[in-house]
Amino acid sequence: MKDFWTKFLCWFIGWDYKLLNECSVASKKSLHRYAGAVMILMLIWAYIGYGMANRYFKVEYEFAKVIIAVIFSFMIWMIERQIILIVGKNALIGWLRFGLAVIMACIGATIIDQTIFGKDIDAQTKKIINKRTDEQFAYEKQVIEEERGKNQIELDSLTIQCELLTAEINRNPTISTYSTRGMGTDSVGKTIYAVEKSYIENPKIQDRERINSRIDVLRNKYR
């Protein structure tokens, strides 16, 4: 059973089992140390993958979330396995491993924080959205009130003009006009003109109708 476990760990991190048997006890301890570290990383990234599936990918089915978690864990296993298999010291490989570790740490820390403190983040986000909505509502309300105030001033002015026109129309509903028409000539040859008087509707009635139409528009605007 012990040999089976050792063979499994060798396969897990990519070591040669036969070569390990010829090595010292320290190498076997390193095997368990590397394998344990990789397993811990796989568990962490499985949790991260599950959290991303739930929070960002909006996956509804638990089975699909588990599949995504397994994919994340498998990717980390492959990456860490290749890193362990690198033999010798190489500056470029060292910087690559460092950069990869930083990226993975940043992504992992972000996802874990948002998963653990998801409710707090959602509450804060909702609070910010509500605040911005209230500010936008207050601004729009102010704009509407200002516009309503201007319209009220215009409405009052038009109402006064309409009352003045109505009073004048009531005094003079019609106006008289005069026209001349030639009737012939007199005994000395001068043209005789006849003056005709007629009545037409007061033109200010049309002005009042236009003002009343504008008043109706203003009154119906905020109903």
Side-chain angles (χ1 to χ4, degrees), residues 59-183:
V59 178
E60 297 180 358
Y61 302 103
E62 288 296 325
F63 178 75
K65 295 177 184 179
V66 173
I67 293 296
I68 294 175
V70 171
I71 292 173
F72 270 67
S73 182
F74 178 77
M75 290 173 58
I76 294 303
W77 173 56
M78 293 300 295
I79 293 172
E80 293 297 330
R81 197 168 185 264
Q82 294 302 318
I83 291 175
I84 292 173
L85 290 176
I86 294 174
V87 179
K89 295 182 179 181
N90 188 312
L92 179 61
I93 296 299
W95 282 108
L96 180 62
R97 293 174 66 179
F98 177 76
L100 183 63
V102 171
I103 293 173
M104 291 172 62
C106 292
I107 295 175
T110 302
I111 301 301
I112 290 175
D113 286 345
Q114 293 195 3
T115 303
I116 295 176
F117 303 105
K119 292 183 178 180
D120 294 336
I121 294 173
D122 291 339
Q124 187 66 24
T125 302
K126 186 177 180 180
K127 183 178 179 181
I128 293 173
I129 293 174
N130 290 337
K131 181 179 179 181
R132 290 181 178 176
T133 302
D134 293 340
E135 290 176 352
Q136 184 65 26
F137 176 78
Y139 172 76
E140 293 179 357
K141 182 179 180 180
Q142 181 181 358
V143 172
I144 293 174
E145 291 297 332
E146 291 177 355
E147 183 180 357
R148 180 176 292 180
K150 293 178 181 178
N151 290 337
Q152 186 61 46
I153 293 173
E154 182 182 1
L155 180 62
D156 294 341
S157 176
L158 291 175
T159 302
I160 294 173
Q161 293 181 37
C162 185
E163 292 175 353
L164 293 175
L165 287 173
T166 299
E168 185 174 347
I169 291 169
N170 290 336
R171 289 193 302 269
N172 300 299
T174 59
I175 59 174
S176 57
T177 60
Y178 298 90
S179 61
T180 57
R181 182 167 60 87
M183 299 295 293

Side-chain angles (χ1 to χ4, degrees), residues 11-28:
W11 169 84
F12 185 72
I13 66 173
W15 281 10
D16 189 341
Y17 173 73
K18 293 180 180 179
L19 184 62
L20 181 66
N21 285 333
E22 299 175 0
C23 297
S24 63
V25 177
S27 297
K28 294 181 179 180

